[in-house]
Amino acid sequence: MATLLHLDSSLFPSDASSSRAVTAAFRRTWQEHHPEGTVIYRDLATNPVPHLTAGQTDPAAHTPAQAAAFAHRLTLIDELENADAVLIGAPMYNYSIPSTLKAWLDNIVLVGRTAGLENSKLKGTPVTVAASRGGSYAAGTPREGYEYVQNYLTAVLADTLALVVNFIVPELTMAVHNPAMSELIPLFEASRQRALDDATSTAKAIAHRIAA
């Protein structure tokens, strides 16, 4: 049976979050194709993982608190290693990812296990990232240089962990909330629908590939 690891990090509820809407569409399609499969879900906004406390120190030298934190870190790594596919909601906050998602990444990047190995268990695992943002940071836009979400996540997920990363990018999400952006609402709506369609088609493609 296939396992999907699903992470959300938006501080907004599902009806107000574009990244959650996209991950929900992906997950629905995934479960339609893997009804007997397993979904491991972590809402990092409501149940954040702890920040690192022990770093790369020798586990034998850990305090009891550090030992407990390291054990939890290994649980997070086990979840990732055992997943056939990964789904991440990563909204842009102040040009970067939420700190809760950064804490999760800090926990699962462990040199000698998930990073720095030629034959890591993670190599080739597909990861779909719903990278929503209030404006547009696409190539050629005035704020192109402020795009730190896709660049950063590519460096960590693809270059460091050898995962295969695909981004779905609903943008201009603030158009419906900011009167100064009201003329961009049609572009936002088109972007959102395209993202939802991409989520469905991507989930279906990955599900079929894993089943085969």
Side-chain angles (χ1 to χ4, degrees), residues 45-117:
T46 58
N47 292 292
V49 300
H51 290 281
L52 292 184
T53 57
Q56 296 295 118
T57 59
D58 183 354
H62 287 174
T63 66
Q66 288 175 328
F70 190 73
H72 183 61
R73 184 180 186 184
L74 296 182
T75 296
L76 298 176
I77 291 173
D78 285 340
E79 291 177 351
L80 179 59
E81 289 180 335
N82 292 325
D84 296 289
V86 182
L87 174 64
I88 301 175
M92 178 186 281
Y93 291 164
N94 299 315
Y95 309 116
S96 187
I97 61 173
S99 62
T100 52
L101 179 55
K102 177 64 165 61
W104 180 82
L105 290 167
D106 287 342
N107 274 276
I108 57 93
V109 175
L110 182 60
V111 175
R113 176 154 176 184
T114 60
L117 290 179

Side-chain angles (χ1 to χ4, degrees), residues 142-156:
R143 294 201 169 190
E144 175 185 357
Y146 292 93
E147 206 303 301
Y148 301 114
V149 172
Q150 290 175 259
N151 291 338
Y152 170 70
L153 291 178
T154 296
V156 176

Side-chain angles (χ1 to χ4, degrees), residues 133 136-145 147 150 171:
R133 59 276 315 273
S136 179
Y137 299 81
T141 63
R143 294 201 169 190
E144 175 185 357
E147 206 303 301
Q150 290 175 259
E171 60 180 11

Side-chain angles (χ1 to χ4, degrees), residues 185-201:
I185 289 177
L187 292 177
F188 155 68
E189 292 174 340
S191 175
R192 180 182 173 89
Q193 187 58 55
R194 187 165 53 248
L196 294 173
D197 292 343
D198 286 349
T200 299
S201 61

Side-chain angles (χ1 to χ4, degrees), residues 1-99:
M1 294 186 295
T3 298
L4 173 68
L5 175 60
H6 175 187
L7 309 170
D8 277 322
S9 60
S10 172
L11 61 87
F12 298 107
S14 297
D15 59 350
S17 168
S18 290
S19 66
R20 287 182 185 271
V22 172
T23 60
F26 182 106
R27 178 171 170 171
R28 280 195 302 270
T29 303
W30 171 274
Q31 290 181 303
E32 288 171 0
H33 290 81
H34 290 291
E36 304 301 322
T38 300
V39 176
I40 299 173
Y41 181 60
R42 286 188 176 273
D43 189 329
L44 300 175
T46 58
N47 292 292
V49 300
H51 290 281
L52 292 184
T53 57
Q56 296 295 118
T57 59
D58 183 354
H62 287 174
T63 66
Q66 288 175 328
F70 190 73
H72 183 61
R73 184 180 186 184
L74 296 182
T75 296
L76 298 176
I77 291 173
D78 285 340
E79 291 177 351
L80 179 59
E81 289 180 335
N82 292 325
D84 296 289
V86 182
L87 174 64
I88 301 175
M92 178 186 281
Y93 291 164
N94 299 315
Y95 309 116
S96 187
I97 61 173
S99 62

